[in-house]
C-alpha cells in the first residue's frame, strides 16, 4: 500500500514539474506564428496537392420556404489538413501536444458557398479557432447557418419529395494544388435534431466537375414531407366539403336552402384553394401542383352544380299548364321503368315485365326530381374519379 502511495505521489510531482502552462503556450504561439505567411498554402513540395479530409455534420433543418426557394440549415464542416509550419517538439514546451489558434491567423482553405440565397461568403467566422497538434495536423470545426437556393418541385404537394444541396468551391486553388475528399459519402447525422415538417430519407457528399472544369463540392439532402398534418388539416376537409356538393340535390326543393347551401360549399372550396396557393411557389416550372389542378376542378364542378341547382328549381317551379317537351317525358318514363320493375312468376320460368306509365301522368315536378337524382349520382361519381386520379398520380 505504501509503495502505491509513493508511486502516485511521485507521478503527481513529475506532472507538476513538467506541466504545460500558459507561458509555454504563449511561447509556442510566438514560435509558430513568427514569420508565418497565411497567404501561402501548406506543403513543402509544391508539385503535390495538399490533401484535405472533410466531413459534414448536420445539426438541424431550420426552414424551407417553397415560395422563395430558401433552404436554411445549421451544420458544421470538419476539415483536416497538415501544415508542417505549425509542427513542434512537445518536449520543448513541457509536453504540450495541442493548441488552438484563431482561424484568421493561419492559412485556411478558401471554402466558398456558390449557391447562397443572398451574399456569397466564406466558411467560418473570426470567432472560430483551429485545433492544431504537434505534428501540424489542423482540425477546423466551421459551425455555420447555411442559406442556399433550392428550387422546389411541388408537383405532388403535400406528398412531395425534394432534393436540396449546398455547393462549394475552394476559391483560388484548382485540384492540382488542393485535393479535398470526403471521409464519408453521406452527411453525418449523429448530432441531428429531427425536423417537424421534413424527413431526411438520404444524403450525399461528393465531388463533381463544374461546367468551367473546376471541382465542385456538394452536400445534398433528399427530403420527404411529413404528411400526417396535411392529410388531417387539408386533404380530408377539402374532400369532405367537395363530397357535400352532390348532396345539395337531396335537399327538398321546397326548403329554399339549395342555392345557399351550394354557394357556401363553393366558397369554402375557393378559400382552401386560396390557402394552398399561398403556400406554393408562383412559378409553373417544373410543374404546377396536382393538388392545385384538383382544387380548380372542384371549383369548376361546384360552379356547374350551382347552375344545375338553379335549373332544377326552375324546372320544379314551372307552371303546370306549360307543356313538357317530349325528351323530358321520355327521360322520366325511362327512369320510372328502371325503378318500378314488377316480377311476374310463371309456371315454367320467371319473367320480368315493366309497368308502363302514361305520358299524361308526367309533371314538371317529376322531371325535376329525376333530374336531381341524375345530378347527385354524377356528382358522386365525379368526386370518386377525381380522388382516385389524384392519389394514383401522387403515389406513382
Amino acid at each position: 500500500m505504501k509503495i502505491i502511495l509513493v508511486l502516485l505521489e511521485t507521478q503527481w510531482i513529475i506532472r507538476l514539474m513538467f506541466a504545460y502552462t500558459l507561458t509555454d503556450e504563449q511561447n509556442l504561439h510566438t514560435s509558430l506564428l513568427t514569420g508565418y505567411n497565411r497567404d501561402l498554402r501548406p506543403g513543402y513540395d509544391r508539385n503535390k496537392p495538399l490533401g484535405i479530409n472533410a466531413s459534414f455534420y448536420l445539426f438541424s433543418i431550420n426552414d424551407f420556404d417553397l415560395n422563395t426557394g430558401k433552404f436554411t440549415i445549421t451544420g458544421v464542416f470538419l476539415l483536416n489538413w497538415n501544415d508542417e509550419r505549425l509542427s513542434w517538439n512537445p518536449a520543448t514546451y513541457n509536453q504540450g501536444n495541442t493548441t488552438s489558434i484563431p482561424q484568421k491567423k493561419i492559412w485556411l482553405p478558401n471554402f466558398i458557398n456558390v449557391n447562397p440565397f443572398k451574399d456569397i461568403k466564406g466558411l467560418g467566422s473570426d470567432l472560430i479557432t483551429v485545433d492544431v497538434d504537434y505534428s501540424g495536423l489542423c482540425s477546423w470545426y466551421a459551425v455555420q447557418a447555411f442559406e442556399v437556393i433550392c428550387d422546389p418541385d411541388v408537383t405532388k404537394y403535400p406528398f412531395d419529395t425534394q432534393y436540396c444541396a449546398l455547393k462549394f468551391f475552394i476559391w483560388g486553388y484548382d485540384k492540382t494544388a488542393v485535393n479535398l475528399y470526403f471521409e464519408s459519402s453521406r452527411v453525418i447525422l449523429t448530432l441531428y435534431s429531427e425536423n417537424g415538417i421534413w424527413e431526411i430519407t438520404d444524403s450525399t457528399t461528393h465531388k463533381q466537375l463544374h461546367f468551367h472544369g473546376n471541382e465542385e463540392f456538394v452536400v445534398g439532402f433528399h427530403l420527404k414531407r411529413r404528411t400526417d398534418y396535411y392529410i388531417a388539416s387539408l386533404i380530408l376537409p377539402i374532400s369532405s366539403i367537395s363530397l357535400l356538393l352532390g348532396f345539395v340535390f337531396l335537399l327538398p326543393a321546397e326548403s329554399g336552402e339549395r342555392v345557399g347551401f351550394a354557394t357556401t360549399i363553393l366558397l369554402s372550396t375557393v378559400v382552401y384553394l386560396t390557402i394552398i396557393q399561398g403556400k406554393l411557389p408562383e412559378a409553373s416550372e417544373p410543374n404546377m401542383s396536382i393538388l392545385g389542378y384538383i382544387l380548380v376542378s372542384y371549383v369548376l364542378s361546384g360552379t356547374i352544380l350551382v347552375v344545375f341547382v338553379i335549373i332544377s328549381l326552375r324546372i320544379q317551379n314551372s307552371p303546370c299548364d306549360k307543356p313538357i317537351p317530349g325528351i323530358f317525358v321520355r327521360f322520366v318514363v325511362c327512369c320510372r321503368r328502371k325503378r318500378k320493375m314488377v316480377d311476374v312468376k310463371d309456371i315454367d320460368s320467371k319473367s320480368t315485365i315493366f309497368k308502363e306509365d302514361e305520358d299524361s301522368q308526367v309533371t314538371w315536378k317529376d322531371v325535376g326530381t329525376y333530374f336531381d337524382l341524375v345530378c347527385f349520382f354524377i356528382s358522386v361519381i365525379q368526386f370518386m374519379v377525381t380522388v382516385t386520379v389524384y392519389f394514383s398520380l401522387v403515389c406513382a
Side-chain angles (χ1 to χ4, degrees):
M1 187 65 181
K2 292 183 178 180
I3 297 176
I4 296 176
L5 292 176
V6 171
L7 291 175
L8 291 176
E9 185 177 352
T10 304
Q11 185 179 8
W12 181 71
I13 294 174
I14 292 175
R15 287 184 177 179
L16 288 178
M17 294 176 58
F18 297 99
Y20 182 54
T21 64
L22 174 62
T23 302
D24 294 325
E25 189 166 17
Q26 183 175 349
N27 293 334
L28 174 61
H29 279 220
T30 302
S31 174
L32 293 178
L33 299 178
T34 299
Y36 184 93
N37 189 346
R38 64 186 301 270
D39 296 325
L40 298 178
R41 72 169 177 88
Y44 288 122
D45 189 351
R46 312 308 279 182
N47 294 321
K48 294 182 179 180
L50 173 66
I52 300 179
N53 185 14
S55 300
F56 187 84
Y57 293 79
L58 178 66
F59 290 162
S60 63
I61 297 176
N62 302 332
D63 185 33
F64 187 12
D65 192 336
L66 297 181
N67 287 298
T68 60
K70 181 174 73 171
F71 180 61
T72 307
I73 64 171
T74 300
V76 55
F77 258 110
L78 171 57
L79 302 177
N80 296 315
W81 67 92
N82 277 295
D83 191 339
E84 301 89 341
R85 296 170 295 178
L86 299 177
S87 60
W88 70 91
N89 184 3
T92 308
Y93 303 95
N94 285 333
Q95 303 304 318
N97 294 325
T98 61
T99 188
S100 295
I101 302 176
Q103 70 169 46
K104 63 181 179 180
K105 292 186 177 182
I106 64 174
W107 179 89
L108 296 175
N110 201 8
F111 229 52
I112 302 295
N113 182 204
V114 292
N115 65 330
F117 184 76
K118 290 184 179 179
D119 299 330
I120 296 178
K121 57 183 180 180
L123 195 63
S125 69
D126 292 341
L127 301 176
I128 299 176
T129 60
V130 180
D131 295 336
V132 183
D133 72 359
Y134 70 94
S135 65
L137 177 64
C138 300
S139 299
W140 184 28
Y141 297 87
V143 182
Q144 193 166 317
F146 300 92
E147 292 184 352
V148 298
I149 297 174
C150 179
D151 295 327
D153 182 2
V154 295
T155 305
K156 297 183 179 182
Y157 176 90
F159 301 93
D160 53 324
T161 58
Q162 307 291 343
Y163 174 74
C164 296
L166 287 69
K167 300 178 180 180
F168 298 89
F169 281 162
I170 299 181
W171 205 260
Y173 299 97
D174 58 20
K175 59 184 179 181
T176 61
V178 174
N179 181 24
L180 183 142
Y181 57 93
F182 286 100
E183 188 177 57
S184 173
S185 61
R186 287 180 172 82
V187 174
I188 301 174
L189 302 177
T190 53
L191 305 175
Y192 175 64
S193 298
E194 290 290 340
N195 184 267
I197 300 177
W198 298 99
E199 174 187 357
I200 299 178
T201 59
D202 197 5
S203 61
T204 179
T205 55
H206 63 275
K207 296 190 296 185
Q208 63 184 21
L209 285 180
H210 194 260
F211 59 87
H212 288 302
N214 297 322
E215 282 189 333
E216 188 175 63
F217 308 102
V218 180
V219 178
F221 301 91
H222 295 272
L223 307 175
K224 180 181 179 182
R225 188 185 299 272
R226 303 181 190 272
T227 58
D228 294 347
Y229 169 78
Y230 298 93
I231 292 175
S233 64
L234 184 64
I235 301 298
L236 291 180
I238 191 61
S239 300
S240 302
I241 290 174
S242 301
L243 179 61
L244 286 178
L245 275 172
F247 286 86
V248 68
F249 295 102
L250 300 184
L251 288 175
E254 299 81 7
S255 65
E257 300 293 335
R258 281 191 168 188
V259 175
F261 178 83
T263 305
T264 302
I265 298 298
L266 179 60
L267 290 177
S268 300
T269 307
V270 173
V271 168
Y272 267 96
L273 177 61
T274 304
I275 293 174
I276 293 178
Q277 285 180 337
K279 294 183 178 182
L280 300 180
E282 298 178 358
S284 299
E285 292 294 335
N287 291 300
M288 285 185 60
S289 173
I290 299 174
L291 184 59
Y293 288 113
I294 297 299
L295 290 178
V296 170
S297 70
Y298 283 159
V299 172
L300 294 178
S301 62
T303 304
I304 295 173
L305 285 180
V306 171
V307 174
F308 282 171
V309 168
I310 297 174
I311 294 174
S312 175
L313 293 176
R314 289 293 302 270
I315 291 175
Q316 298 195 38
N317 292 321
S318 296
C320 298
D321 56 351
K322 182 179 178 181
I324 302 175
I327 187 173
F328 289 165
V329 173
R330 289 191 294 272
F331 166 71
V332 173
V333 170
C334 180
C335 292
R336 283 178 174 176
R337 286 178 178 178
K338 292 182 178 296
R339 296 187 62 187
K340 298 179 180 180
M341 291 189 300
V342 179
D343 293 339
V344 178
K345 295 183 179 181
D346 194 68
I347 298 176
D348 298 323
S349 62
K350 296 180 181 179
S351 63
T352 302
I353 63 173
F354 296 98
K355 183 179 178 182
E356 297 289 345
D357 296 283
E358 298 293 335
D359 294 351
S360 59
Q361 295 178 349
V362 176
T363 64
W364 281 109
K365 187 174 182 179
D366 295 330
V367 175
T369 299
Y370 287 106
F371 178 78
D372 288 344
L373 288 176
V374 172
C375 290
F376 170 73
F377 285 116
I378 291 176
S379 174
V380 173
I381 293 172
Q382 182 266 339
F383 168 79
M384 296 175 63
V385 170
T386 302
V387 172
T388 302
V389 170
Y390 172 67
F391 280 102
S392 63
L393 290 176
V394 297
C395 295

